[in-house]
Amino acid sequence: MEEKPHVVVLFGATGDLARRKLLPGLFRLHLAGLLVDARIVGTSLEEVDTEHFQKFARAACEEFGKGALTEAAWAEFAPTLSYVAQSAGPHALADEVRRVEAELPGELADKRRLHYLSVPPKAALDVVRQLDEAGLVERSRIIMEKPFGTDLASAIKLNGAVHEVFDESQVFRIDHFLGKEAAQNILAFRFANGLFEPIWNRNFIDHVQIDVPETLGLEGRTAFYEATGAYRDMVVTHLMQVLAFMAMEPPTSLAPGPIGDEKLKVFRSMRPIEPSNVVRGQYTGYRGKEGVSDHSDTETFVALKVEIDNWRWAGVPFFLRTGKKMAEGARIISIAFKEPPLTMFPKGSNVGTQGPDHLTFDLADQSRMSLSFYGKRPGPGMKLDKLSMQFATHDTADAGSVLEAYERLIHDAMRGDHTLFVSAAGIEALWEKSMPLLEHPSPVRSYQPGSWGPNAIHQLIAPHAWRLPFERSWRDPNVIGQ
């Protein structure tokens, strides 16, 4: 996919996401030579000028960017930034876009626009209409942040309103989980090796866990969370998308269309999410916070069992868990393989005592993969220990080339690559499967901050056990064991 000259229009340009991720990400893309012929037009509700915006962007890159910021690099990047306040109206924004567009090399027909909507969900459609009114839809693509609706009806309505202005091929619904190196490593691991795809099915895999506990609470975000909750905020957008990479059939190619088709088949093969397969939790102390009623039943934690009705996965449960104020922060996918049907090892050999063999993907910023298995302990007799083979991205010669999730996804959107983005059909299929839970939610159980969630999570996963926190020594390369 050829890269064209670009004008990036950043809505919400002085907001928190822009400060922490988007502006440092654009600067890093510039340093990497992936943002050569580009201009960045910021716009937001703040009444500031271009000079102030450039200072804001520099402070953001100094605080949140990777590596030292040199004067020479900044002197090259700063002139690409300009700013228009929202109060100036759609046509003032259009005039600025056309002004900087004229500075880019090449024919007008070859120049592209990328609109990044870093705005609250309720403001997204206003921005879409503003772009239409300003005549900025042609030759453009649009990146939208989650959540993409709050149920099936709202998702259909939102997609319909967006499609009145933008064609689906122009729309990029961003999920930063899929932009992580480790998430894409799942595709490489499965489809580039002859070793694993033959056993990637119900005959060899016992169950799968996708576990994203967070230690952060909801300070300052309680009003937003009251309208969403952990299921809408994390499961539909992030965890289900990772599940699709794990569970999909081999695509005909790694092009965006075939990958999107296979992900959609996974969502359509899922059984509806029944309340009896879901544990909802709320950490003690959440009620009574600003914007939260004393009787709120919004979940800050959710664990669920997902079942996929197809030939590959029938009978293999997928367990998903995420929550706020939990004991540790982690992002793992853990595949538990079935144990041998017969053991001929003597009593006391330790075989089977340390759980099944696991293949684990760590989706943290320093991505790792680990394969655990039993091996003989050196010395007399037949004593077995759980051993581990590991791979870590930061140990490779190309570690410095790793793009952060937002950097990769912005670059992909500029190239028109939908591979790591969520389609309208995919998001609607997930909301459809979620409706039994959303219409009849299971009760909210309290859990202590710093714990692993309500006790009912153990009944949900039985007879299996959660991989976290009980089996985590694989994370430390100096520890022999899982």
Side-chain angles (χ1 to χ4, degrees):
M1 294 179 186
E2 187 183 349
E3 293 179 33
K4 308 270 189 182
H6 260 83
V7 177
V8 179
V9 184
L10 185 54
F11 290 85
T14 55
D16 191 55
L17 180 63
R19 186 171 71 95
R20 289 175 176 272
K21 295 291 183 184
L22 305 182
L23 289 167
L26 288 164
F27 180 52
R28 188 146 182 263
L29 286 173
H30 171 81
L31 291 178
L34 299 173
L35 203 66
V36 181
D37 295 322
R39 297 289 184 273
I40 298 157
V41 179
T43 181
S44 75
L45 298 174
E46 284 203 40
E47 297 286 339
V48 297
D49 58 13
T50 290
E51 184 182 358
H52 183 281
F53 178 56
Q54 289 175 347
K55 288 178 180 174
F56 172 85
R58 174 163 185 160
C61 293
E62 285 176 337
E63 185 175 359
F64 297 105
K66 278 192 170 183
L69 185 152
T70 66
E71 288 299 331
W74 187 254
E76 200 177 274
F77 182 67
T80 68
L81 300 168
S82 61
Y83 184 86
V84 179
Q86 280 284 292
S87 59
H91 296 291
L93 178 64
D95 290 344
E96 177 63 13
V97 169
R98 293 188 180 104
R99 182 187 75 79
V100 299
E101 202 168 47
E103 298 174 358
L104 295 173
E107 298 292 324
L108 184 63
D110 290 331
K111 298 175 185 180
R112 296 285 180 269
R113 301 157 178 168
L114 180 67
H115 307 301
Y116 197 119
L117 274 57
S118 177
V119 297
K122 61 177 181 283
L125 282 182
D126 290 338
V127 173
V128 168
R129 294 186 192 102
Q130 183 182 341
L131 289 168
D132 192 21
E133 185 183 339
L136 293 174
V137 175
E138 189 184 9
R139 295 178 284 107
S140 75
R141 300 182 178 113
I142 179 172
I143 297 181
M144 300 185 70
E145 284 280 344
K146 69 176 178 76
F148 315 113
T150 54
D151 56 19
L152 180 58
S154 61
I156 291 172
K157 184 178 177 182
L158 174 63
N159 286 330
V162 171
H163 289 158
E164 286 177 11
V165 178
F166 289 93
D167 184 77
E168 177 65 14
S169 65
Q170 296 175 279
V171 182
F172 291 75
R173 296 168 190 79
I174 196 165
D175 175 12
H176 68 271
F177 266 53
L178 294 188
K180 293 183 177 297
E181 199 76 28
Q184 293 162 79
N185 233 331
I186 298 168
L187 296 180
F189 200 80
R190 286 187 61 185
F191 303 132
N193 301 298
L195 180 62
F196 289 99
E197 188 55 25
I199 61 170
W200 209 264
N201 57 56
R202 61 190 174 86
N203 297 322
F204 297 94
I205 291 177
D206 185 67
H207 71 278
V208 177
Q209 296 180 30
I210 301 174
D211 207 354
V212 186
E214 297 181 289
T215 54
L216 296 172
L218 287 163
E219 293 73 15
R221 294 181 68 224
T222 47
F224 160 76
Y225 230 70
E226 274 296 278
T228 51
Y231 184 83
R232 289 179 170 94
D233 182 45
M234 290 290 291
V235 175
V236 175
T237 46
H238 296 328
L239 274 64
M240 291 294 195
Q241 303 302 324
V242 172
L243 180 149
F245 269 21
M246 260 293 308
M248 72 185 197
E249 296 297 318
T252 52
S253 76
L254 285 185
I259 286 181
D261 292 344
E262 296 305 335
K263 285 173 61 182
L264 182 56
K265 286 179 192 174
V266 173
F267 300 146
R268 288 177 172 164
S269 299
M270 284 168 41
R271 288 188 187 176
I273 308 298
E274 299 294 342
S276 57
N277 285 333
V278 181
V279 175
R280 298 166 69 232
Q282 186 186 88
Y283 65 76
T284 307
Y286 173 79
R287 291 180 183 174
K289 287 187 180 293
E290 186 180 351
V292 181
S293 95
D294 292 339
H295 307 289
S296 168
D297 71 343
T298 300
E299 78 279 1
T300 61
F301 168 98
V302 65
L304 61 150
K305 179 167 76 170
V306 176
E307 297 167 291
I308 300 173
D309 265 345
N310 62 21
W311 278 36
R312 183 183 289 265
W313 295 116
V316 178
F318 287 72
F319 297 103
L320 280 53
R321 176 173 66 169
T322 186
K324 305 293 184 185
K325 279 196 181 292
M326 296 183 69
E328 286 182 25
R331 294 170 178 175
I332 71 156
I333 305 167
S334 183
I335 297 117
F337 293 100
K338 289 187 175 179
E339 299 199 46
L342 177 70
T343 178
M344 68 291 292
F345 292 91
K347 282 187 177 179
S349 65
N350 285 342
V351 71
T353 60
Q354 296 176 50
D357 298 340
H358 280 94
L359 174 63
T360 306
F361 294 88
D362 187 348
L363 298 182
D365 291 333
Q366 295 285 13
S367 65
R368 300 173 186 261
M369 290 188 298
S370 168
L371 179 63
S372 73
F373 50 89
Y374 285 101
K376 183 183 177 301
R377 184 186 301 172
M382 184 57 77
K383 284 277 189 184
L384 277 66
D385 283 324
K386 214 56 180 296
L387 307 175
S388 176
M389 287 194 299
Q390 299 184 24
F391 160 80
T393 303
H394 60 82
D395 291 338
T396 68
D398 296 322
S401 304
V402 174
L403 292 176
E404 291 216 339
Y406 280 101
E407 296 163 7
R408 173 184 305 282
L409 293 169
I410 290 170
H411 185 240
D412 282 357
M414 291 174 76
R415 293 164 58 240
D417 186 343
H418 274 89
T419 306
L420 302 175
F421 294 85
V422 185
S423 71
I427 206 72
E428 288 175 16
L430 283 173
W431 284 124
E432 184 181 355
K433 300 295 184 180
S434 302
M435 289 317 292
L437 173 68
L438 299 180
E439 290 171 348
H440 303 285
S442 48
V444 164
R445 305 161 190 266
S446 66
Y447 65 97
Q448 289 300 314
S451 71
W452 286 95
N455 287 333
I457 60 170
H458 302 299
Q459 285 83 53
L460 176 71
I461 202 170
H464 316 292
W466 290 101
R467 181 114 163 95
L468 294 175
F470 310 110
E471 305 172 17
R472 351 162 257 194
S473 53
W474 67 273
R475 289 172 167 275
D476 185 350
N478 301 312
V479 174
I480 292 179
Q482 333 233 79

